Amino acid sequence: MNAEKPDLEDAYALQGAEDAKAVYAAWADSYDAGFVSERRYQLHEHVAAAFVAEGGIGPVLDLGAGTGILGMALAARNCGPLEAADISPEMLDQARTKGVYRRLVVTDANAHLPFPDNSFAGVVSSGTFTLGHLGPEILPDLLRVLRPGGLLTISVNSRHYDEAGFADALRVLFDRIAKLRSNTVPIYAATDSSDPHSADTAKIICLTKATP
Ligand SMILES: C[S@@+](CC[C@H](N)C(=O)[O-])C[C@H]1O[C@@H](n2cnc3c(N)ncnc32)[C@H](O)[C@@H]1O
């Protein structure tokens, strides 16, 4: 890792919780002004727009909230209250300054999430279901903290979706899902032919939790 300025390659190469904490501790200060601005990263806008368009309401858990840009996008659409969860205290320190979350929780989403069953009417996540980060194994725990009839809206990097087996994982959860829809979007608005990731895409997955 470039300890001065981590980048996308460092993030995609993460190997476990300690690695994630180290990379994002080093990235937190420059994430918004560097990565988000320079690449014109836009997954948070896609997730917020889809969540609201599908009728999503609060309270909403933003998983892997990072510096809080998805929370900002939801707050701009009058959606809340919002809670943030992330493995990196440094990223959440940045999110806190945005002033849009009523609670920020440091937690490893690969462990059991520290929220009771049916806590949230919505669960959202942008940019965190990607290479080196979270996989489909945690979808059952996300459904656990979501209320029956609640809406989950997450972005999943398209390559990661295929390689990590999201389609199979969603099939297994069939009984717990009332409605499932998805579309594919570009992750970045900036185009740069010298950047191997500039045309990368993600799936926006929206699912409604079945009522028992
Ligand atoms: C690429 S950033 C995305 C942040 C924000 N949602 C956005 O769209 O800009 C990924 C975030 O996931 C967090 N993360 C990585 N692994 C995690 C884990 N196991 N549990 C919780 N958060 C994790 C990182 O700390 C980081 O803040």
Side-chain angles (χ1 to χ4, degrees):
M1 175 186 53
N2 175 353
E4 293 293 305
K5 196 184 175 210
D7 63 15
L8 203 50
E9 298 302 341
D10 297 312
Y12 282 174
L14 289 181
Q15 309 235 344
E18 292 313 310
D19 219 10
K21 286 185 216 171
V23 165
Y24 282 101
W27 209 359
D29 281 349
S30 65
Y31 185 88
D32 287 1
F35 172 74
V36 173
S37 296
E38 284 166 18
R39 289 176 177 267
R40 295 171 61 205
Y41 170 82
Q42 54 185 9
L43 278 184
H44 54 305
E45 292 293 343
H46 284 297
V47 169
F51 182 75
V52 171
E54 291 284 343
I57 55 167
V60 182
L61 172 66
D62 178 4
L63 181 67
T67 60
I69 57 176
L70 174 53
M72 295 275 283
L74 288 168
R77 291 167 171 83
N78 296 317
C79 184
L82 308 174
E83 301 198 10
D86 199 287
I87 200 169
S88 167
E90 292 82 1
M91 291 293 272
L92 286 186
D93 283 345
Q94 297 291 325
R96 190 171 291 106
T97 68
K98 306 288 194 316
V100 296
Y101 297 102
R102 71 177 180 186
R103 184 160 67 130
L104 301 99
V105 178
V106 177
T107 187
D108 178 356
N110 283 316
H112 187 72
L113 288 169
F115 306 109
D117 296 358
N118 307 328
S119 293
F120 299 97
V123 174
V124 297
S125 183
S126 63
T128 302
F129 287 88
T130 191
L131 306 163
H133 290 57
L134 300 179
E137 310 76 32
I138 71 158
L139 290 174
D141 205 28
L142 290 189
L143 281 176
R144 179 186 64 77
V145 302
L146 186 64
R147 291 178 191 159
L151 181 67
L152 177 137
T153 304
I154 61 172
S155 71
V156 183
N157 174 286
S158 296
R159 190 177 133 203
H160 188 51
Y161 184 93
D162 294 336
E163 292 179 359
F166 275 82
D168 284 345
L170 288 167
R171 260 192 292 278
V172 169
L173 293 171
F174 175 78
D175 284 354
R176 298 176 66 190
I177 299 173
K179 194 171 151 200
L180 175 65
R181 49 272 182 222
S182 73
N183 65 310
T184 301
V185 299
I187 300 176
Y188 310 103
T191 49
D192 175 358
S193 54
S194 67
D195 173 1
H197 294 295
S198 103
D200 284 1
T201 62
K203 284 184 189 292
I204 305 295
I205 312 281
C206 281
L207 69 82
T208 306
K209 179 173 170 178
T211 41

